[in-house]
Amino acid sequence: MKYVRISVDGGGETHFADDQMALEEADYRPPAPLLFVSHARQSSAIQFVRLPAGWVGQSIKVPSKQFLICVAGDLEMTVSDGESRTFGVGDVVLMEDTHESKGHTTRASGDCHVAVAPVLD
C-alpha cells in the first residue's frame, strides 16, 4: 500500500518521500476469506478533525510520529524544502516532523476531514 512520509533530515528540514507498506495475505477474520494485511502498529488513540475551508496552519510540528488519513475533501501540505502536495480521500501521510524539525504548512481549500492516529512504534 502506498503512502507518503514527511521525514526530517539532520538540519531539521522536512521532505516528502513516497513509501510502501507491505500487505501480506492473512487469515485476518475467520471465517471470512483471506485478506491482505499490514503489520500492526501500536497507537494510543485516533482523532477525527475537520479543517474548515480556508484554514491554514503554518510551521506545524506534530507532537509525535502520527498517521493522517484523509476521509473527506482535500488539503495541501508544504514541507520546509518548499515542495507541496495535495492529498485527497484515501490518501495516507506518516508525519515524522516532530518538535526538532522546521515542520510543515497545511491548507484546506474546502472543508476537509481527516483521521489522525499517533504511532507508538
Side-chain angles (χ1 to χ4, degrees):
M1 181 182 100
K2 293 180 182 179
Y3 69 98
V4 174
R5 207 173 52 166
I6 297 177
S7 62
V8 182
D9 66 23
E13 290 288 343
T14 56
H15 310 276
F16 286 120
D18 295 316
D19 216 330
Q20 187 83 16
M21 188 179 306
L23 298 176
E24 297 183 16
E25 194 169 36
D27 196 8
Y28 186 65
R29 294 290 185 258
L34 297 178
L35 296 171
F36 290 86
V37 181
S38 73
H39 79 277
R41 292 184 180 237
Q42 296 295 316
S43 179
S44 60
I46 187 167
Q47 286 185 294
F48 295 91
V49 180
R50 178 181 158 271
L51 292 76
W55 183 88
V56 177
Q58 296 182 345
S59 300
I60 296 171
K61 299 172 187 177
V62 294
S64 64
K65 183 166 59 169
Q66 57 189 22
F67 276 107
L68 177 143
I69 304 153
C70 189
V71 295
D74 57 63
L75 56 91
E76 179 185 272
M77 298 175 88
T78 304
V79 290
S80 66
D81 71 6
E83 183 180 358
S84 293
R85 294 193 186 187
T86 299
F87 300 100
V89 175
D91 287 332
V92 177
V93 180
L94 177 59
M95 299 180 292
E96 300 176 327
D97 53 340
T98 57
H99 61 278
E100 59 274 338
S101 75
K102 294 182 181 179
H104 65 274
T105 298
T106 300
R107 291 177 178 80
S109 56
D111 274 1
C112 180
H113 295 252
V114 297
V116 179
V119 179
L120 302 177
D121 60 348

